[in-house]
Amino acid sequence: MNHVHTLSYPTLISVDLRPFNPTVQDCGVYAYVEKLGFKPDSLIFLNFFVDFLHEHEAIDDTAINMMNAGQRGTPTAFPWTKNDLFRLIQQVRLAGIRPIIGILSFTSSDVWQSACVDVIDPEIYQTKRGNLRMWGNCINPLKRCSDGSYYEDRFIADLVRVMELYGFEGYAAGDGMMGLRGPRETLEVSDFSRDMVEQFKQYSELIIPECDDYDGRVDYINEHYFAEWVQFYVYRWGEHFGKISAQLKPLGKTLIGIDAWSRNAEESITAFGIDYRLLYEKGLEGVLVRAGEANKIRKHREGDYVWEENSVYTFLSHKTYEPRLTYYWAVSTINQPEFWNAVSDLPHVMLRETFAYMWTMYGNGDTGQFERAVDGIAVIWGNDINPMQWKWLTQKWTLAFDMLKHFEQPAGLTLVWNDIGTKQYTSDNKQYGYRFSKLINEGVCIHSAIHESHLDAYLNSTGYLVVFDSDLMVRRPQLSSNTFVILKDRISFMGTVYPWAEGLSLIKQRCGLYVSKGRIIGFKANQHRYIVSMENAANLYYETVEVHLPEIVEYIMDMDMDMDKSSQRLYDQEIMDTLQFTLPPDASVQVVLKVK
């Protein structure tokens, strides 16, 4: 591995068996790492459905079926046997890379329309309104089988057995295995099967009328007991991961999961019953956060919550809510079965997402310091990226990570976040993400967050604050002189409620750093500098914008230059606190601004 280096941040790559070659001694691991140009910390083999676990008898020359070899049945260049897979996992470990098995809740393939797992008990399929099965015939791992036994007990026993046989060092809960398969089918429509309703009744001790009609059960529970329904699913996912952790941790195995469809901390609970604080306490170690505007909104139209500005709020709220978890940005790259290629088609979007997500900062309550909200990178998927694309991606990721070594304090506003929305078990808690998105889209820089309980340690290291919970000012009236309260259509400051436009103007006058159009993100760096990314998001035309700073600028430098050297690009213009930049369509520009 002559040209391979180690990156300065954790990296996980999701793969199937296509990048490897069972006909050579090391199963192609050496060639794959050479192609990457770096050695990842982990490879997540995210190509397995549950039938691989349940039908596995021994490591022998039995062929691995097409659904478990390539992602959702994507053809592989070579046939693979169980012996080949064993050799591959050993070679991955010999290379110093942690192999992790990933399991998806799918049981049918959209690549081979006739391929479907035929060993699944029909009772455990996930259902939704209309008593319909989910796309892909997904299972609900929380259900009971026809004989009354909990499916998860069989799943966990077979999972641990296979992990031990092959030498997998961890388990990644894939789509539908940490929150029911979505993204549109949330707890308001899924899974109201008789079994889940019976479990709900046992948990809640509520008296639910018997109803043979599936949609009748949906409507009754949503109308009368939706909060309790959410709390039930929170409990069941907690129990599920607690059982898994109890088996994996004594063996030294790691436990991570792919997020339940990129909601923020509040919405993850009400949409899917996923409470990351509870799951951490039950043994979950890390989350792959699928913040993928380049894929999820552009290709799949999966809702406004996957636009970049909403994902910024997702990272801030996740890390502020449960900082003990490790959060990885699950980067949408290339997905052959789903026919999207963000690396080739939308590199400009991937670039602006890189700085928007990696520069999110949260106040660590233990250290009293601002730290990264994004702990590392997880690639979804790493099968079809060529060496030049890998080089480009790692250069941009590394640049974004390395720039944070210059971080001094937040620029613009700092969000004071609390748990209020995580205790509101209705869709009303979407309002906090919407307010954040509305504010950042007005050109205000808001890229850091502090939990209310840790606020006292940061009062001397932040400027103006922004909150969404108006009651916070009742609890902390001493903050009134530097805290803006963002209401639904109004902005409150020092006891006065202003119309939106007037309040926004006041924020910009007081906070200084903002952009006239589009978005601006970034931070105040050491040596009297601001490091910023200006975004012309979702605009098909070039846009000239004005950047306003609270201080006079001495010079401007391209961000990818070596900041430890004295060279910089000077602009032929009067240096002032308002600068003009031309931003390319749907893209971004990153600069360093040296101030007096």
Side-chain angles (χ1 to χ4, degrees), residues 307-576:
W307 283 110
E308 180 197 296
E309 61 269 27
N310 296 291
S311 293
V312 169
Y313 182 69
T314 289
F315 280 115
L316 291 175
S317 64
H318 279 342
K319 196 65 175 181
T320 308
Y321 178 55
E322 183 41 76
R324 295 171 293 181
L325 276 171
T326 299
Y327 296 96
Y328 302 89
W329 174 28
V331 185
S332 297
T333 55
I334 301 174
N335 191 320
Q336 189 180 83
E338 293 185 4
F339 304 105
W340 52 262
N341 185 332
V343 183
S344 294
D345 298 341
L346 293 166
H348 55 293
V349 177
M350 294 191 69
L351 181 65
R352 63 176 173 80
E353 284 187 295
T354 296
F355 300 105
Y357 302 151
M358 290 191 187
W359 286 353
T360 49
M361 303 290 281
Y362 84 103
N364 186 318
D366 294 328
T367 66
Q369 301 293 320
F370 280 97
E371 299 177 9
R372 294 194 315 249
V374 177
D375 297 290
I377 292 290
V379 179
I380 309 285
W381 291 71
N383 297 316
D384 304 302
I385 304 172
N386 65 44
M388 288 300 294
Q389 292 170 330
W390 277 118
K391 183 178 180 181
W392 180 82
L393 288 168
T394 54
Q395 283 178 341
K396 300 309 178 185
W397 298 336
T398 300
L399 175 61
F401 268 103
D402 287 351
M403 295 305 287
L404 285 177
K405 69 184 180 182
H406 303 285
F407 180 92
E408 184 175 85
Q409 67 183 57
L413 295 166
T414 295
L415 171 66
V416 179
W417 193 90
N418 61 25
D419 299 354
I420 182 174
T422 64
K423 298 178 176 64
Q424 294 175 342
Y425 301 111
T426 71
S427 58
D428 287 346
N429 61 20
K430 292 181 179 180
Q431 62 181 300
Y432 307 110
Y434 285 143
R435 292 179 192 179
F436 181 92
S437 300
K438 185 177 181 180
L439 190 60
I440 198 172
N441 282 331
E442 294 279 11
V444 175
C445 183
I446 172 171
H447 216 58
S448 57
I450 304 168
H451 196 284
E452 180 188 350
S453 62
H454 301 147
L455 184 56
D456 292 339
Y458 289 88
L459 291 180
N460 295 326
S461 59
T462 61
Y464 282 87
L465 306 173
V466 59
V467 303
F468 302 134
D469 177 10
S470 57
D471 289 339
L472 187 144
M473 302 311 299
V474 177
R475 296 190 296 272
R476 293 175 173 265
Q478 69 274 21
L479 299 179
S480 63
S481 62
N482 71 330
T483 302
F484 293 92
V485 182
I486 310 302
L487 307 174
K488 182 178 180 181
D489 297 310
R490 300 286 189 271
I491 296 175
S492 176
F493 183 65
M494 295 186 67
T496 301
V497 178
Y498 297 91
W500 178 263
E502 189 175 345
L504 182 66
S505 177
L506 185 60
I507 288 176
K508 292 180 176 180
Q509 292 171 25
R510 296 291 184 114
C511 299
L513 179 63
Y514 65 93
V515 67
S516 60
K517 297 178 182 178
R519 295 196 292 258
I520 187 168
I521 61 171
F523 52 92
K524 191 171 183 178
N526 51 24
Q527 300 179 14
H528 305 289
R529 292 172 294 189
Y530 287 84
I531 298 177
V532 299
S533 178
M534 297 160 287
E535 301 185 349
N536 184 22
N539 191 336
L540 300 180
Y541 303 95
Y542 281 89
E543 190 74 77
T544 299
V545 302
E546 290 186 349
V547 177
H548 299 259
L549 285 99
E551 302 172 73
I552 301 298
V553 176
E554 287 188 347
Y555 66 77
I556 305 167
M557 183 175 70
D558 290 335
M559 195 190 73
D560 56 359
M561 295 181 67
D562 189 339
M563 289 182 60
D564 296 324
K565 296 181 180 178
S566 59
S567 60
Q568 63 267 345
R569 179 159 55 94
L570 297 178
Y571 280 58
D572 293 329
Q573 65 177 39
E574 181 182 355
I575 302 300
M576 56 186 71

Side-chain angles (χ1 to χ4, degrees), residues 49 107 122 126 131 134 147 246 253 260 336 385 508 510:
F49 294 177
T107 63
Q126 179 183 342
N131 200 21
M134 284 294 298
D147 62 3
K253 310 290 188 183
Q336 189 180 83
I385 304 172
K508 292 180 176 180
R510 296 291 184 114

Side-chain angles (χ1 to χ4, degrees), residues 128-130 187-192 197 200 208-209 211 213-226 229:
K128 60 181 180 178
R129 184 178 281 276
L187 293 183
E188 292 179 322
V189 297
S190 174
D191 176 325
F192 290 80
V197 172
F200 171 53
I208 308 294
C211 183
D213 178 65
Y214 191 99
D215 288 359
R217 296 196 294 271
V218 174
D219 294 336
Y220 184 86
I221 292 175
N222 278 335
E223 181 178 354
H224 298 283
Y225 297 118
F226 182 71
W229 180 247

Side-chain angles (χ1 to χ4, degrees), residues 223-234:
E223 181 178 354
H224 298 283
Y225 297 118
F226 182 71
E228 292 83 357
W229 180 247
V230 170
Q231 291 168 305
F232 158 67
Y233 265 96
V234 167

